[in-house]
Amino acid sequence: MVSQKAAALSTTYSDNIILVAEAVAGDAATVNTWITDTQANDPKLVFVGEGLLSITSILDPAKLQFTQDDFVFVENLYSSIFVLSADAKLNINSMDDLKAYVESGEQVSVAVNGATSSEAFLAAALFGSMGAGEHLKLVPYTSAAEAAQAVAKGETNFAVSHQSQILETYEQGGVSIVCAFDEKAIENGPFSGVEGVGQYGYPYFRNRCFIMARAGTDAATVANLKDLYDQILADDEVKTWLQDTMLLEVDTMSTEDVNAHVENVKGIVNEYKDIVAG
């Protein structure tokens, strides 16, 4: 939906670049095919995130027929700040409440979208760094929506999810929102004010959607594309829609920012992969 929004506005901000509504999806098989079928200056762009660059590259590198060097970064389309929700019956509403729960030695079960997903590593990093790794049970689901709903059904104590996926359950009173996986409190939307784990020194990362071109693409072409995306993402209508409707963040980045993000997530994966992958 975000790429469609950007495409619809591309003609407003550029006379000679028209963005397509969908870039190539960022799963391993699709990106492998994109790598095979494209070369420098190909107009087809691709979405890539930390799932491939930082997680799959460590846990299952044989699945990837590319490295980060095969891409040139254009822009970050958006960032999503994951949140930790808790079964409302547990009455865990803050980091202090969570610390008390962990210190009690209770079993910690967390619903996540996929066994080795970004959500799984965020859960492992938080509870592992809190000293609860031995009590942690990650419960993988086949979709983000199922994982978000599991905690309200009593199938798990906690869930890690995108804000938009847990919002309805939160509004119905089934869960409390404990914390956000960011450096500070959430600033926008219905979860504004929810504390960031980074405020307490715990590891975190945002889920990001990098728009990539093929390596070797002319620098001027990349610069023009980045400038167009930056103008679109600075549009007040787009910013408001992202923050209030999609519960996502406008989060433009540089190549250096991307490299730092990839390395940060790799560090978390390497530290907590025994908890996640067993």
Side-chain angles (χ1 to χ4, degrees), residues 183-200:
E183 65 177 332
K184 57 184 180 180
I186 294 175
E187 296 180 348
N188 304 296
F191 300 124
S192 176
V194 171
E195 297 175 297
V197 299
Q199 296 173 251
Y200 294 84

Side-chain angles (χ1 to χ4, degrees), residues 1-264:
M1 289 182 69
V2 182
S3 62
Q4 293 169 347
K5 192 81 167 180
L9 283 171
S10 61
T11 55
T12 301
Y13 290 101
S14 177
D15 294 328
N16 51 24
I17 300 176
I18 300 175
L19 300 175
V20 295
E22 297 293 341
V24 177
D27 62 278
T30 303
V31 177
N32 284 341
T33 300
W34 181 85
I35 289 291
T36 300
D37 293 346
T38 61
Q39 53 188 334
N41 295 306
D42 195 297
K44 292 182 181 178
L45 306 178
V46 68
F47 294 139
V48 182
E50 70 276 345
L52 294 181
L53 297 179
S54 302
I55 299 176
T56 305
S57 65
I58 291 174
L59 298 185
D60 195 5
K63 187 179 289 186
L64 306 182
Q65 297 172 15
F66 56 84
T67 69
Q68 191 174 345
D69 292 338
D70 288 305
F71 309 100
V72 58
F73 172 68
V74 176
E75 187 52 275
N76 180 41
L77 187 60
Y78 62 81
S79 288
S80 176
I81 300 173
F82 286 109
V83 293
L84 179 74
S85 57
D87 186 333
K89 294 188 292 291
L90 295 175
N91 197 32
I92 300 174
N93 299 292
S94 67
M95 285 298 295
D96 287 340
D97 292 343
L98 183 64
K99 290 178 184 178
Y101 181 85
V102 168
E103 289 169 0
S104 73
E106 296 282 347
Q107 176 74 29
V108 176
S109 59
V110 186
V112 294
N113 176 28
T116 58
S117 60
S118 293
E119 294 96 319
F121 275 100
L122 286 169
L126 176 60
F127 287 105
S129 61
M130 295 180 79
E134 294 181 0
H135 303 290
L136 176 62
K137 179 183 179 182
L138 297 174
V139 184
Y141 288 81
T142 56
S143 76
E146 286 181 334
Q149 294 165 4
V151 61
K153 295 178 180 178
E155 296 173 6
T156 62
N157 308 129
F158 302 93
V160 176
S161 61
H162 294 283
Q163 296 171 57
S164 59
Q165 291 158 348
I166 201 66
L167 178 60
E168 182 177 359
T169 305
Y170 168 73
E171 291 177 335
Q172 293 171 347
V175 298
S176 60
I177 305 302
V178 181
C179 58
F181 290 94
D182 207 28
E183 65 177 332
K184 57 184 180 180
I186 294 175
E187 296 180 348
N188 304 296
F191 300 124
S192 176
V194 171
E195 297 175 297
V197 299
Q199 296 173 251
Y200 294 84
Y202 297 118
Y204 65 88
F205 58 86
R206 292 181 171 191
N207 173 232
R208 287 177 162 127
C209 182
F210 300 140
I211 305 160
M212 300 287 205
R214 197 68 160 88
T217 297
D218 291 343
T221 299
V222 175
N224 288 335
L225 283 167
K226 181 174 177 59
D227 181 64
L228 176 55
Y229 274 108
D230 286 349
Q231 290 184 71
I232 292 169
L233 293 171
D235 184 285
D236 288 338
E237 178 188 344
V238 173
K239 289 169 66 176
T240 300
W241 176 76
L242 276 172
Q243 293 172 353
D244 295 346
T245 302
M246 302 302 292
L247 307 190
L248 299 170
E249 302 292 319
V250 174
D251 188 14
T252 55
M253 300 173 70
S254 66
T255 298
E256 291 73 23
D257 295 331
V258 172
N259 293 337
H261 174 72
V262 169
E263 292 305 313
N264 174 52

